[in-house]
Amino acid sequence: MVTSTRKYGCPFKLRAKPVPGGEWWMVKLICETHNHTLTKSLSGHPYVGRLTKDEKIILGDMTKSMVKPKNILFTLKEYNANNCTIMRQVYNARYAYCSSIRGSNIEMQQLMKLLERDMYIH
């Protein structure tokens, strides 16, 4: 299995702390050097690839309709041309959606509940 990390061991550091009694922050530059080049695309970055509320609704509706994840991603990209979401984020969002539907039940408990509800023999 191949695993990787986004960390470069970059020495760049900022320190930020809130100003007492206000809404402002004080930012101090600790080390301004980088050991890597700037990325050309923000695709795959967790903050940029996050889904909006509307996109989560679309994802939920499509997941309920048993649409494949690649088609969900394609639809999200059509909905918003600037969308930087990647496949892994779609899988994670689908899992979070299904977990919210399932509640505190584990997968097997949910299966048994649905089998009993729909009167299947088990």
Side-chain angles (χ1 to χ4, degrees), residues 21-32:
E23 300 175 0
W24 302 98
W25 286 72
M26 180 175 294
V27 179
K28 183 178 178 184
L29 181 62
I30 306 297
C31 181
E32 63 183 71

Side-chain angles (χ1 to χ4, degrees), residues 43-45 49 73 77 83-91:
S43 180
H45 192 279
L73 182 61
K77 299 267 184 190
N83 187 317
C84 290
T85 304
I86 60 172
M87 207 61 195
R88 172 83 328 221
Q89 291 165 320
V90 171
Y91 283 124

Side-chain angles (χ1 to χ4, degrees), residues 26-91:
M26 180 175 294
V27 179
K28 183 178 178 184
L29 181 62
I30 306 297
C31 181
E32 63 183 71
T33 59
H34 291 277
N35 64 354
H36 56 89
T37 59
L38 185 63
T39 59
K40 294 186 180 4
S41 169
L42 291 175
S43 180
H45 192 279
Y47 183 77
V48 176
R50 73 193 186 285
L51 299 174
T52 64
K53 288 180 183 178
D54 292 338
E55 290 170 338
K56 286 181 183 179
I57 292 170
I58 292 170
L59 182 131
D61 291 342
M62 294 181 82
T63 299
K64 273 194 275 188
S65 300
M66 304 296 285
V67 177
K68 292 181 179 180
K70 69 178 183 179
N71 294 334
I72 293 174
L73 182 61
F74 180 75
T75 302
L76 291 174
K77 299 267 184 190
E78 279 188 334
Y79 176 75
N80 179 3
N82 297 325
N83 187 317
C84 290
T85 304
I86 60 172
M87 207 61 195
R88 172 83 328 221
Q89 291 165 320
V90 171
Y91 283 124

Side-chain angles (χ1 to χ4, degrees), residues 1-18:
M1 177 168 63
V2 177
T3 61
S4 63
T5 179
R6 282 177 286 203
K7 296 181 181 179
Y8 291 103
C10 182
F12 178 81
K13 288 186 182 177
L14 287 175
R15 180 169 290 142
K17 50 184 170 178

